[in-house]
Amino acid sequence: MKDKSSEKLKKTAYTAAQWTWGLPQTLIGSLLYAAHRKDRHFDYNGARATVWNKNSGVSLGKYIFVPGRKDGSADTFLLDHEYGHTLQSLILGPFYLLFVGTPSMLWNRLPYFERKRKQSGKSYYSAPFESSANHLAKRVSNKDRR
């Protein structure tokens, strides 16, 4: 009984923190969530995950968006990685978009950075804001990630 109430308290605190300290990104995430209301959604450690028809993931406050696999399930590596970004949102609050969201989007989307990664042989996850998302998710869930 104590485990269930403890988990509920953690999820409530997580949601409250995302809707206060992480308000800017959670508000944007809620609008994106509403735009994808017909997609599949589920709860993931307090976050609200959406499986969408895109080839990349994004995390905005308490909202996670990940590509689906051919069977319709979520890409589990990306789900965990994006969950790590929600933890960064809890740490950085209103500074998340400045220090993680924008750099992550540029690192992912700009052809310049794609060329640099290919030339250097670096992984997408080698950037500090990406590797720390994996590290945080691993610490919270004790799963092994890239």
Side-chain angles (χ1 to χ4, degrees), residues 48-145:
R48 191 69 180 152
T50 299
V51 178
W52 64 359
N53 191 20
K54 307 237 186 253
N55 64 356
S56 62
V58 69
S59 175
L60 289 161
K62 117 175 223 95
Y63 297 94
I64 298 172
F65 303 86
V66 293
R69 294 186 173 173
K70 290 183 183 186
D71 66 359
S73 66
D75 179 309
T76 54
F77 173 76
L78 272 178
L79 180 62
D80 289 339
H81 173 75
E82 295 302 333
Y83 180 71
H85 283 308
T86 75
L87 299 174
Q88 291 171 323
S89 172
L90 288 175
I91 294 165
L92 296 171
F95 304 104
Y96 170 82
L97 292 173
L98 179 64
F99 293 113
V100 174
T102 301
S104 180
M105 183 183 70
L106 296 174
W107 180 246
N108 184 23
R109 299 281 182 201
L110 289 183
Y112 170 81
F113 290 120
E114 186 176 348
R115 281 193 309 277
K116 287 292 188 185
R117 286 193 305 272
K118 281 184 180 178
Q119 290 170 353
S120 68
K122 286 187 174 184
S123 164
Y124 172 80
Y125 302 100
S126 65
F129 39 85
E130 300 301 342
S131 62
S132 68
N134 289 342
H135 176 74
L136 287 168
K138 181 180 179 181
R139 296 257 340 242
V140 167
S141 68
N142 296 319
K143 288 184 183 176
D144 189 24
R145 289 172 180 75

Side-chain angles (χ1 to χ4, degrees), residues 10-21:
K10 285 180 189 177
K11 286 181 181 182
T12 301
Y14 170 89
T15 298
Q18 291 289 17
W19 277 105
T20 53
W21 178 238

